[in-house]
């Protein structure tokens, strides 16, 4: 498995984890959990972009 593929998988996991936290935080009015979810989604988005750049340079 290439590094870009591994990075894409990690990005997807962080985005999914972030979405779940965001939704649970929203449903339970837990602003800190919701914010944590948004941060995880943002981290996943950055990892996704890094993987794209790596893929173009392989």
């Amino acid at each position: 498995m290439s590094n870009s593929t591994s990075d894409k998988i990690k990005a997807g996991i962080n985005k999914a984890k972030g979405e779940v936290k965001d939704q649970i935080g929203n449903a339970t009015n837990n602003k800190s959990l919701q914010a944590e979810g948004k941060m995880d989604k943002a981290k996943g988005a950055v990892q996704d972009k890094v993987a794209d750049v790596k893929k173009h340079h392989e």
Side-chain angles (χ1 to χ4, degrees):
M1 182 180 323
S2 70
N3 278 342
S4 63
T5 302
S6 176
D7 288 339
K8 282 280 190 187
I9 292 168
K10 288 176 190 172
I13 290 169
N14 276 319
K15 286 185 197 178
K17 181 173 67 170
E19 183 62 31
V20 170
K21 285 181 182 178
D22 189 8
Q23 293 299 322
I24 292 171
N26 188 37
T28 61
N29 202 28
N30 183 334
K31 298 297 181 193
S32 65
L33 184 60
Q34 195 173 10
E36 193 177 316
K38 289 181 188 309
M39 291 295 291
D40 284 344
K41 286 194 286 188
K43 179 180 175 183
V46 169
Q47 286 173 317
D48 210 14
K49 294 292 183 198
V50 169
D52 287 343
V53 169
K54 284 182 180 179
K55 186 174 185 176
H56 292 308
H57 293 308
E58 287 180 345

